[in-house]
Amino acid sequence: MAERRLSHAYMLAGPEGPERENAAVRLAAALLCAGPEPPCGQCRDCRKVLAGIHPDVIWVRREAKDSELRREILVGQIRRMTADAVLAPNEAARKVYIVDQADRMNQQAQNALLKALEDPPGHACFILCAAAADGLLPTVRSRCVRVDVGAREQKDAGMSDLAKGYLEAAASADRAQIVLYCMNRTRLSREDTEAFAEQVKDAVRDVLCGRAQDPGLGREGLFHLAALMDKTEDYLRHNVQPKQIFGLLAAETLR
Ligand SMILES: [Zn+2]
């Protein structure tokens, strides 16, 4: 089994909605999955996470008061979360805390979270969902692996940004991050997927020629990505759909 390097804090940046929520659930499954290629979707942990009934996935949301939602996530909620995070998981190897609308945490709540991010219990992972990353303290942001989700990225990101994001995800060697990256690309058109492969190859070439800095892939890692892009172009020629191609990339990027 490939060694997994996982971060203990992620920030899912993107507009509120089912897409972001879905990404958080998939990421939680990837973090808890016991299979060799998380999230496998088949193991007991994956199935429970996807069904929303895993006891080691804990959502933190704005609380209701007088039948209305409070404006902010309060420090008491975050303290309860971090106190719970110290306790061992119920079933899985880890515990995942998903803070929805994390940009609604007030300053005090963020400072309480920061302490947990600075010295996290070994088994705890935190996923912060936020529409506006700058609603979070820079000290909180800097401790999270940022993953952009949702329409904004698909629409606005230039192709070279896409390639850059892919290289960075690959360099992180963080399987959950790579899976999320690929998951967010499954709706690219064939043309865009072709352009993506071309851009990644250009970016690899730039690093190999010393025109750009190596994000941490090393020569072998760079050659591996270039070979994967050749494979991608081959798949496209054989009419494999982008959705399947990105599924394959999610599985093979780390090998
Ligand atoms: Zn699984």
Side-chain angles (χ1 to χ4, degrees):
M1 194 162 97
E3 199 199 325
R4 291 190 220 158
R5 244 168 66 187
L6 295 166
S7 171
H8 63 86
Y10 296 86
M11 178 173 65
L12 298 187
E16 202 176 338
E19 197 163 350
R20 191 176 80 186
E21 187 151 332
N22 195 26
V25 171
R26 290 285 300 263
L27 177 54
L31 291 166
L32 296 191
C33 176
E37 283 175 12
C40 69
Q42 307 295 320
C43 70
R44 189 192 61 173
D45 288 311
C46 275
R47 286 200 313 256
K48 282 191 164 184
V49 174
L50 298 175
I53 54 167
H54 201 297
D56 292 313
V57 176
I58 299 108
W59 285 82
V60 176
R61 294 186 159 104
R62 283 190 290 155
E63 285 175 341
K65 191 199 173 204
D66 303 331
S67 74
E68 267 188 48
L69 284 180
R70 284 181 192 275
R71 215 165 47 83
E72 296 176 321
I73 293 175
L74 305 176
V75 66
Q77 292 179 261
I78 300 301
R79 288 207 184 113
R80 280 198 296 281
M81 174 181 84
T82 55
D84 185 74
V86 177
L87 307 175
N90 297 290
E91 292 179 6
R94 298 188 179 81
K95 260 172 147 173
V96 179
Y97 296 87
I98 306 173
V99 183
D100 197 24
Q101 298 184 311
D103 40 354
R104 298 274 197 147
M105 281 187 289
N106 63 25
Q107 184 108 7
Q108 252 188 314
Q110 292 197 40
N111 282 323
L113 174 65
L114 185 58
K115 286 205 194 94
L117 294 182
E118 282 169 345
D119 187 18
H123 53 255
C125 302
F126 300 94
I127 301 173
L128 311 180
C129 302
D134 45 12
L136 292 167
L137 296 174
T139 43
V140 169
R141 262 182 283 157
S142 69
R143 283 182 172 76
C144 299
V145 172
R146 178 180 170 149
V147 182
D148 290 310
V149 290
R152 186 186 54 171
E153 191 186 24
Q154 300 235 340
K155 235 179 15 233
D156 297 346
M159 286 310 295
S160 62
D161 287 344
L162 281 184
K164 191 166 161 264
Y166 179 66
L167 256 61
E168 282 168 3
S172 75
D174 179 332
R175 195 176 283 278
Q177 200 181 333
I178 294 164
V179 166
L180 268 177
Y181 178 91
C182 293
M183 213 176 77
N184 280 320
R185 303 299 173 304
T186 52
R187 283 182 298 163
L188 285 186
S189 66
R190 298 180 57 80
E191 292 72 30
D192 283 349
T193 305
E194 214 176 323
F196 162 81
E198 201 49 54
Q199 293 280 352
V200 170
K201 288 206 307 198
D202 284 349
V204 165
R205 219 169 288 135
D206 283 349
V207 176
L208 287 172
C209 300
R211 283 194 294 269
Q213 215 190 335
D214 183 352
L217 286 156
R219 278 184 81 81
E220 270 188 36
L222 290 163
F223 286 132
H224 174 60
L225 292 194
L228 272 182
M229 292 307 117
D230 286 340
K231 221 163 143 182
T232 297
E233 290 173 339
D234 213 39
Y235 286 140
L236 285 166
R237 274 193 292 276
H238 289 88
N239 282 323
V240 180
Q241 294 305 309
K243 193 176 167 177
Q244 285 159 287
I245 291 175
F246 280 101
L248 291 162
L249 291 179
E252 293 185 17
T253 295
L254 267 196
R255 279 174 199 167

